[in-house]
Amino acid sequence: MARYNWRQVMLDETSMFGGKNESISHNNIWDPVNAKFRPHFLPYLSAIPLLVAVCIVLSHFLFPLYKRRPIWARNFVKELPEPEGEIILDLKKHHAHTTLFLLLASTAGLLPSVVSLFFIDLELSAASFTASWVLAILIVAIHRPKTASVSLLALYTSMLVSHLLILASKGSSLRLHITSATVELLAASGAIVITVLMPMRNPELPDQQISHVFEPPTDELRSPEDNLTLWQFMTVSWMYPLINLGKTRQLNNDDVWSLGYEFHHRKLHHAFRELRGSVVIRLLKANGIDLIIITLLSIIGLVTAFATPVLLQQLLRSMEDVRAPRHATVVYAILSLVVRLVRSQADVFNLWFSRRCYERSRGEMITMIYEKTLTRKMIGIRLNPHGGENNEETVDGREMHTELPRSYPKVLWNKLCSVPLRLKGGSMKQRPSPEETKQPASMGKILNLMRQVRFWDFEKLITRPLGLIISVVLIWNLIGWSCLAGVLTILVGQALNALVVRVLLRKRRLLRKITDGKLQITTQFVEAIRHLRWYSWQNAWLERIMEKRQQELSLLVVTNLWGLLISFTNTLATGMFPVIAFSAYTVWAGFPLTIDIAFPALQLFNYLDMDLREIPELITVLLNASIAVGRIEDFMSEPDKPNDDPQTSNCEFELQNASFAWPGSAQAVLLNVTLTFPIGLTVIRGKVGAGKSALLLALLGELDLLNGKLTRTNELIGFCEQSPWLQSMSIRENILFHSPFEITRYKQVLEACALTTDLASFKDGDSSNIGENGIGLSGGQKARVALARAIYSRAKILMLDDPLSALDHQTADTIVRKCLGGPLVKNRVVVLVTHRHELCLHLAKQVIEISDFGAHVVGDGNLGSDPTFHDSTRSVTDSGYQPSEGGKGPDEVPDKFMEDEFRAHGGVNASVYWEYIKAGKLKWWFVLICVQVAFRLASVARTWFLKSWGEAYHRTWLASITDLFDKMPSPEVNVRPWLIGFFLLAFTRALMELIVQGVMIVIVYCAGRQMFRQIMVRVSYATFRFYDVTPVGRLMNRLTSDISTIDGNISRQFSSVASYSISWISAVVVIASVTPVFLVFSLALTAGFVYIFLKFLPTSQSLRRLEMVSLTPLMSNFGALLNGLTTVRAFCAQSNFQDRVIAVTDDFQKMDHFYWSLQSWLMYRFDNLAACSTFLLTLLALYTGVTPGLTAFVLDSAHHFVNSTHAVCRYYGQLQMDFVSVERIVEILHLEQEPKGAVEPPAAWPTFKGDVIFENVTIRYAPHLDPSLSNISFKIKGGSTTAILGRTGSGKSTLVLALLATILPDSGRILIDGIDISTVNKEALRSRVTFLAQDPVLFPGSMRQNLDPLNEHSDHDCEIVLLKVCGSHRWTLDMQIDTGGRNLSQGQRQLVGLARAILRRSPIIILDEQDRADVSDVSDVELTHIHYSRQATASIDMETAMRIQQVLRDEMSESTVITIAHRLEAVRNADGFVRLRNGEVVEMGGGEGVGTWE
């Protein structure tokens, strides 16, 4: 393209725009033509450093007032000096050196200033500089700064800038004057360098616990942030050690520094709890200084952002103005560079302080809510069985999930710790109804609402309205009143959107409800997957889930379409904004749309549009935040569990005419109870649901006292729950439960609780990790570990809720003799709830009967013949297991029961991307790319069109220049064709964006539907080993949060990467065609961006993955607390759990903190590189002789090039992070599947007379494990009742699971009615066998739905069975069951499970507790398929149990019944028995041998 001297061309036509330039020329401060300050303003400019110095001096006099500033204006947590003798003396020497350097630099600046004042230029400016240097010397000499002083930095910087501006504006021909000014500049620069190299932390503070900068990172030391120089803080260079380590290998937890002092949550929690006021007031007090700093930095960023279009306008005018020298244009380019660099630095500071505010406020709220949970009444612990309530929560319409069964708050934590730094709007939540607000807040709801309290958006309350005002002022100054027409366009668009938003909010609320339903059924499916597969119900449940998923996706599409309409309206209004404004400017006002007007105005339009769009979103955020704060306040104001002062100095309890109700209920569960509990054993008995457990909770203070008197102590109480609550740690850690380890007492407890034999069978003994909620133990083992925990404690009072129910007769008798009758309980109050009271009546001091809401003593004193304590210590040395005092050796690491969550290394594999692309359909991806290309072409065409429009006013002088639009009339003659063309291009862009977003909706729908179905099918038919080693919460994370990422974020990230890649290519092509030398420059610039990004990416991936993994313990602590809160409070272990949550919060938040620090490192380098590249591109355009129009076009394209390069790196990095979710889903797609079985059995198989035969069967749970059953052979006659006998861990549960073919024999075979079950279709097998566990899983819904989930039986049949099994409870089919049956007692849940089993009437029925002594089978949820009742009736009183046994005999007289026996009564009428020991058959025979099994 030919180059033209535009200055010469426009020489005779300056009058066209002289009005504007002339008006500017009369400016009294700035000369825009020569780009310098006018001479008469220079004295004022030189006075700025003096003013700064005076302010610093005054601040020293006002320091006493500063020390009395309010708490919100102070640093919330701050280190205090701790002098340490000789070390401080050395430090003082170092400080003296620093002070000396500053004095030398200041003196070096003062001397030439004095010379200049007296010998060169006796003017006010010279005097001001001299006075400033003198004050600087005095401040340094008096203050002797130890740390980097921001005030001194401001003083020296003002001197440097003032000197540069005066020198550039004034100039001088005197060599002495130039030399003097140069020395002063060097002195100021040196002082600045010294200041920024000084530490920010008081050097007198000890630093032994702080990692030194550039040393290898380790978690044993605090972050280098605690001891940085100002320069290191500004440049984020302290992150280099972590970045370099992340490039060489995958980071681990011990590779990441600990959090800095100001981020430690123990200090934050203790300081925060001392604050008074509401939650918001406390947060403002704790984080007020951060909010002030963030606001100030945001205002700086706002001002620098608006300075960019102003400087662009001046640059273009300088190129057009023939009077302006070329260096004036360079000055404007340099000023643009400085403004961008200042904004880059302000953004780095803003991000750091924003993250500090966010992380500390989040940590403060986590610990605050956890502490409140530890003291809060457990309102809603029991619900009305006729009206269950679902307390599940959702996050933004997506389901929450848990790490522990039925602990939904954990999912809310995964959502809370995965939100981005800035909220881009928020979905409006439906205002709660009065009925809802009266309900106690669930933990899940509180954690969900916490995420909306976003204090890092606080500055938007000021910057957005301020930005709106500045935009209007600048646009008004640029094009006058014409801008109002454009503003009106935006307002009309927002008004239309307001109508659409109302519909959208309704759709979102409906979507939230549907998603709730999908979450509920998916959660039930995952928690009960074993049991569903045992009953062969998984297909029916899978179809229900997919039906809910289809409803969700369909409504998601509808919701997205409404959102698309809003987006299109915004895009169209944004495009029409400049069209309308330029129409008013050119047609109505009659001004020419020149280059220096059009392009700056376009930038300002974008800023104004952004502010107008964000203000409604900000209002929505504030509304959501107000609702969130209100509910959090409600939660914090809920009543706490009474913590009265001890009313007795001994260990006795007393109830005097006391009545109790469940918290939050006015209906009494215990009426007018008068009891005392003396030292010794008190046995409590009663029928199922009579209130035995309620009495224990009342004694613990967990129930509301309606009337009467409760005398109790607040001392430690050893409590053992009916459903044992254990933690995912070793057996020893569970037993000690924060108590000191005493080897002798510990051995006695193991012996008394009959655990020595079990521990001897474990590879790692008592160091064995028992998994989630004790999944690695059998039911009996869990009960005995929980009992051992209570016995080992030094509590004077023991409350044991039916610990014998899960034990076989021999073990139960042993525990009664050695534990309840041994010296470990001597002189202790022992309150025992049991249905097996016949075993311990001879030890009881009193027996209490619970019936008809009351309690009365039916016997006291010595009820048995042997009141003496048995000496359990005699056999301690005879046990098969001897614990060591230190546990396992230092080199011995116990095996983990649960496998660690897989954490991929490096980048996401291309195969993962391909899986997602295939799921979204290749044709739609092709359409998407094509439309994005068209959108980018329309954008380039619009910019070129605007350039041609501005240049068309000079076409009479440049007729030889070819242009795409040279056939259009001159805008001076007819501007309407230009307006129409600009309108069409703007509309085309909006239309293309509409199509892009529409295609993305289709891709999201296709990918979401296909991938969800695939993973649900894979999970449904995975091997049972997968369920054994995968926690429920981890699987729920995959099925909920990861799927929600696929439903939303990933598609947008993919689209953004493609869009910005296309934009980058187009920018390179366009600019290279105008300035070919740019091609080389663009490649070098891109290489710089890529180099920086590649240093960033590996470490960011490692930190993000570590964050996801470290989130699990935090969620587990919340889940564990909710499940075991009663135990924790009984043991007075609240402080231990608070300490634990503080520790895991530190671990989690440090990953998040250093990830965002790494983002700050990247942002600083990207922004600075972008600023420098834009500056160089401007110089290229300037010195290659292109026209102002082409310069504007090139700068616009350069802006797109830099932004696209930056954005591609950023969005690709984010895409990598988001694709971790797809990676985790693809991992599930490759799960090993259970063999389906090739043999289709006859419809009548198995017959009621079919035999069950084991032939030399050897079974192990995994190839690396020892056999659980070894070469066993026996035959069970069809139609008979057979008892399976043996101690815990003998292999009884494995035998049962083998009958279900969940584990197949290594050798031998199992025949049912003549067919080898390893070859038979597994679905057919499990649909014809019934298996009942101790703790059946119940689903929320009616009793009818729980009895017959597949609706295979009539209502009449269900009513008959319910009447036979549960007739005494007067239940109906319409009675509502809560999630997990939480509104029923343990015994009542077992009755429902028995009724379900009887209803199925299978040929083979297996009755047993759901314990897996050997290894693999676990669940707290209902068991479907095979009745297994060693403890199917274990939590049922004897009378009820006998009646149930009679019902079983009557209803299942033709079935083959296999019973795992705990109590003699359960198998007294059995036809035969098989006795197991260590996985081998040691005895079998007819029914006459059963009675001798004990």
Side-chain angles (χ1 to χ4, degrees), residues 526 529-531 533-534 769-772 774-777 896-900 1019 1022-1032 1034-1035 1260-1262 1264-1265 1268 1294 1297 1302-1303 1410-1412 1414-1419:
V526 171
I529 181 62
R530 287 187 187 83
H531 316 290
R533 291 187 63 183
W534 286 337
N769 190 294
I770 61 176
E772 189 179 47
I775 191 175
L777 302 178
K896 296 181 180 179
F897 187 83
M898 291 290 183
E899 293 180 354
D900 289 336
V1019 168
T1023 62
F1024 280 79
R1025 178 67 181 169
F1026 169 74
Y1027 308 139
D1028 297 335
V1029 300
T1030 305
V1032 170
R1034 186 187 304 171
L1035 188 55
R1260 67 182 78 230
Y1261 284 99
H1264 65 282
L1265 299 177
S1268 297
T1294 303
L1297 296 177
T1302 64
I1303 45 177
Q1410 190 217 319
D1411 69 330
R1412 241 184 357 184
D1414 306 306
V1415 193
S1416 163
D1417 147 32
V1418 68
S1419 174

Side-chain angles (χ1 to χ4, degrees), residues 536-601:
S536 192
W537 286 348
Q538 76 276 8
N539 287 334
W541 278 79
L542 188 58
E543 289 306 315
R544 293 180 188 177
I545 293 174
M546 294 312 303
E547 181 181 348
K548 290 286 187 180
R549 174 64 173 170
Q550 185 59 48
Q551 293 176 6
E552 180 189 37
L553 286 175
S554 299
L555 192 55
L556 180 64
V557 169
V558 173
T559 304
N560 286 340
L561 288 175
W562 283 106
L564 177 59
L565 179 58
I566 293 175
S567 177
F568 176 71
T569 304
N570 283 331
T571 304
L572 186 61
T574 303
M576 294 301 105
F577 190 162
V579 173
I580 301 300
F582 289 162
S583 298
Y585 184 73
T586 57
V587 176
W588 299 339
F591 290 108
L593 186 65
T594 54
I595 296 297
D596 63 319
I597 296 294
F599 283 91

Side-chain angles (χ1 to χ4, degrees), residues 49 140 160 262 266 306 340 401 553 578 701 813 1003 1040 1088 1132 1172 1187 1347 1420 1449:
V140 172
L160 177 65
E262 296 180 349
R266 184 177 304 281
F306 281 109
R340 289 174 181 268
H401 46 284
L553 286 175
D813 182 66
I1003 290 175
T1040 53
C1132 297
C1172 294
T1187 66
L1347 289 179
D1420 280 340
R1449 284 192 291 270

Side-chain angles (χ1 to χ4, degrees), residues 977-1012:
W978 294 93
L979 290 171
I980 294 173
F982 195 61
F983 164 78
L984 292 176
L985 288 171
F987 183 80
T988 301
R989 290 179 74 252
L991 183 62
M992 292 298 102
E993 186 169 341
L994 174 69
I995 297 174
V996 166
Q997 295 185 16
V999 173
M1000 287 310 307
I1001 292 175
V1002 176
I1003 290 175
V1004 168
Y1005 174 80
C1006 295
R1009 182 179 61 176
Q1010 180 171 329
M1011 297 198 83
F1012 185 80

Side-chain angles (χ1 to χ4, degrees), residues 860-923:
D860 53 26
N862 181 13
L863 299 178
S865 58
D866 185 10
T868 61
F869 286 97
H870 297 278
D871 186 3
S872 65
T873 62
R874 294 172 304 180
S875 58
V876 169
T877 58
D878 299 331
S879 67
Y881 176 75
Q882 290 298 315
S884 62
E885 189 161 358
K888 297 185 74 68
D891 297 327
E892 299 178 80
V893 180
D895 292 339
K896 296 181 180 179
F897 187 83
M898 291 290 183
E899 293 180 354
D900 289 336
E901 187 166 6
F902 174 74
R903 183 162 60 96
H905 291 192
V908 177
N909 292 330
S911 60
V912 177
Y913 290 100
W914 183 241
E915 289 285 350
Y916 181 76
I917 291 173
K918 288 192 301 181
K921 308 300 182 186
L922 294 178
K923 62 180 180 180

Side-chain angles (χ1 to χ4, degrees), residues 1356-1405:
H1356 177 73
D1357 291 341
C1358 294
E1359 288 175 347
I1360 294 299
V1361 170
L1362 188 63
L1363 181 63
K1364 289 181 178 180
V1365 177
C1366 315
S1368 60
H1369 295 280
R1370 299 178 182 178
W1371 292 340
T1372 65
L1373 295 180
D1374 295 329
M1375 189 189 83
Q1376 294 298 306
I1377 304 296
D1378 192 17
T1379 303
R1382 287 179 295 187
N1383 57 336
L1384 301 178
S1385 70
Q1386 178 81 358
Q1388 290 171 328
R1389 291 197 296 268
Q1390 290 178 351
L1391 291 178
V1392 176
L1394 285 168
R1396 181 189 288 162
I1398 293 174
L1399 187 64
R1400 284 172 60 90
R1401 301 182 186 276
S1402 300
I1404 297 177
I1405 298 175

Side-chain angles (χ1 to χ4, degrees), residues 1263-1275:
H1264 65 282
L1265 299 177
D1266 295 330
S1268 297
L1269 294 177
S1270 299
N1271 198 33
I1272 64 171
S1273 299
F1274 61 87
K1275 177 180 179 180

Side-chain angles (χ1 to χ4, degrees), residues 1065-1110:
I1065 295 172
S1066 66
V1068 171
V1069 172
V1070 167
I1071 302 177
S1073 65
V1074 177
T1075 55
V1077 70
F1078 171 77
L1079 190 58
V1080 177
F1081 173 76
S1082 65
L1083 294 177
L1085 183 62
T1086 302
F1089 275 109
V1090 172
Y1091 173 76
I1092 295 172
F1093 178 70
L1094 291 180
K1095 288 177 70 72
F1096 157 85
L1097 187 59
T1099 305
S1100 68
Q1101 291 172 333
S1102 291
L1103 288 174
R1104 222 31 168 178
R1105 286 166 174 153
L1106 279 172
E1107 181 184 350
M1108 296 173 68
V1109 172
S1110 63

